[in-house]
Amino acid sequence: MTFYSRPFTASASQKSDSAFDDLTASLGDGRPHPTEDALVQLGRALMTELIDVIADTALEDFQTILGEALIGAFHSAAGRIERDADRARDTMRSLDRDFDGSEAADVELQEATAKARAGDAATQACELIRDAASETWTVATGEVWTAWRGSRRGTHLTAAQLEAKQAIRAIRNRKSGEADPAGPVIAFRGAPTADTSEDAGRIFDALNWAKREWPDMALATTGAKGSEKLAIKWAQQKGVKLILARADFDTHGKAAPFRANDDLIALEPEVCLTLVHSVAGMREDQRPFGPALNLGQKAMESGLRHVPIKARAA
């Protein structure tokens, strides 16, 4: 099957509606580049084919692993290509600094520049495929894919994702007089079992309230399953910046969810929202989610505002 519905590249003298197509048209490569539309269609088709093939089969039990693996493959490829492009840029800076005006040095500088620009285009191509596959995955399954390592960015993202360490560094920079890219931070931790429609309604109510109070807010969470995935979906729908403080089980073992709370507190959030258990069919014997309780405790100990999310009054 072919996915191309129009010529691969726009002419260098004619601007298109796609920044990616304009970039590839300006590279001067004699070979054609796939268009942005073609790459988006490819990402959608790959994910749709995967879901269709494994649906109603024994592999359906492993659907989440397989779907996330497909998306993650293009995320990983984008990262690898971007690192190569960064190395080319390092070479460009070195050659420019030591440029002696010779023809050999000029050719070497041109080659490094072309490699960096080609790498940028290839990185964006992988991101376009990844984002299209991710969007198709969410529409088909309701699940939200997030990168476990590194920042996720792309032209079609409604939520810019930053690693917690990057955001913490931004807070420190702000105190030093530098710009803070994150804006007011709202932290959220919730129980994995709080994933019903009623839970989603209460979480969205709380987050909508926070966005009214801080319109340029960023949402910080660990990205755990259940209620925190619901919060991530809200952030994507609202175009709210997302800061992920992933629990590092390889390093911290069972303490990882609580160490992630330390990262959230270090962001100095305006308010910490917590949902310790599902609000649907609440029972007195329902066990609260320890990491959510812990975040609330740490917030109060740090002098930060804590707002627990509760069921609506009858």
Side-chain angles (χ1 to χ4, degrees):
M1 178 183 292
T2 180
F3 301 107
Y4 306 114
S5 58
R6 58 187 178 87
F8 281 14
T9 56
S11 67
S13 61
Q14 180 181 359
K15 288 289 184 180
S16 72
D17 293 332
S18 164
F20 173 79
D21 292 344
D22 289 337
L23 170 62
T24 57
S26 69
L27 294 180
D29 194 319
R31 297 166 298 175
H33 272 82
T35 64
E36 178 174 329
D37 287 347
L39 293 169
V40 169
Q41 189 173 351
L42 174 61
R44 291 171 179 166
L46 287 171
M47 182 56 71
T48 299
E49 187 72 12
L50 173 66
I51 294 171
D52 287 348
V53 168
I54 66 178
D56 301 321
T57 74
L59 287 179
E60 192 172 37
D61 294 342
F62 305 95
Q63 176 178 268
T64 297
I65 296 175
L66 295 171
E68 291 185 347
L70 176 60
I71 302 167
F74 286 100
H75 179 71
S76 177
R80 290 175 59 185
I81 295 170
E82 186 174 41
R83 287 191 290 274
D84 286 342
D86 287 340
R87 283 191 284 271
R89 272 184 282 274
D90 289 339
T91 301
M92 288 166 55
R93 284 189 284 269
S94 177
L95 291 170
D96 184 57
R97 182 180 61 248
D98 302 329
F99 191 71
D100 60 8
S102 67
E103 182 178 352
D106 185 65
V107 170
E108 196 172 359
L109 180 58
Q110 289 183 41
E111 290 176 347
T113 302
K115 183 176 181 179
R117 297 186 69 214
D120 289 340
T123 299
Q124 289 187 34
C126 290
E127 290 172 344
L128 287 165
I129 298 170
R130 176 202 65 195
D131 293 346
S134 178
E135 290 166 3
T136 303
W137 172 250
T138 298
V139 170
T141 68
E143 298 182 26
V144 179
W145 176 85
T146 54
W148 278 96
R149 296 187 182 276
S151 298
R152 176 187 176 191
R153 61 164 178 16
T155 52
H156 294 289
L157 289 181
T158 56
Q161 296 182 334
L162 301 173
E163 289 288 352
K165 290 181 180 179
Q166 294 172 322
I168 291 169
R169 189 181 306 118
I171 295 290
R172 292 171 181 160
N173 290 342
R174 182 188 65 191
K175 291 183 175 180
S176 301
E178 299 178 31
D180 173 22
V185 175
I186 307 302
F188 172 70
R189 291 230 61 182
T193 55
D195 58 0
T196 68
S197 59
E198 187 174 348
D199 292 317
R202 294 301 292 134
I203 293 167
F204 293 173
D205 286 347
L207 293 173
N208 286 332
W209 164 80
K211 194 170 190 315
R212 288 193 298 270
E213 294 290 317
W214 299 278
D216 56 343
M217 66 170 277
L219 174 66
T221 187
T222 72
K225 65 180 181 179
S227 58
E228 293 185 33
K229 289 291 188 183
L230 291 173
I232 290 172
K233 185 178 295 186
W234 174 89
Q236 292 180 324
Q237 292 172 349
K238 298 292 184 179
V240 169
K241 184 172 292 184
L242 180 64
I243 303 170
L244 292 176
R246 292 289 192 184
D248 188 348
F249 289 95
D250 290 339
T251 301
H252 303 301
K254 293 181 179 180
F258 304 97
R259 295 293 291 269
N261 284 347
D262 292 335
D263 289 339
L264 292 175
I265 293 297
L267 294 170
E268 301 181 0
E270 298 290 337
V271 64
C272 292
L273 301 172
T274 59
L275 178 60
V276 299
H277 48 55
S278 174
V279 300
M282 289 182 59
R283 305 183 312 271
E284 291 184 2
D285 63 342
Q286 191 171 201
R287 187 175 179 179
F289 181 54
L293 282 174
N294 177 257
L295 180 63
Q297 292 167 355
K298 287 181 175 178
M300 291 185 288
E301 290 170 359
S302 303
L304 299 172
R305 187 178 179 186
H306 171 227
V307 177
I309 300 174
K310 301 178 180 179
R312 292 185 177 90

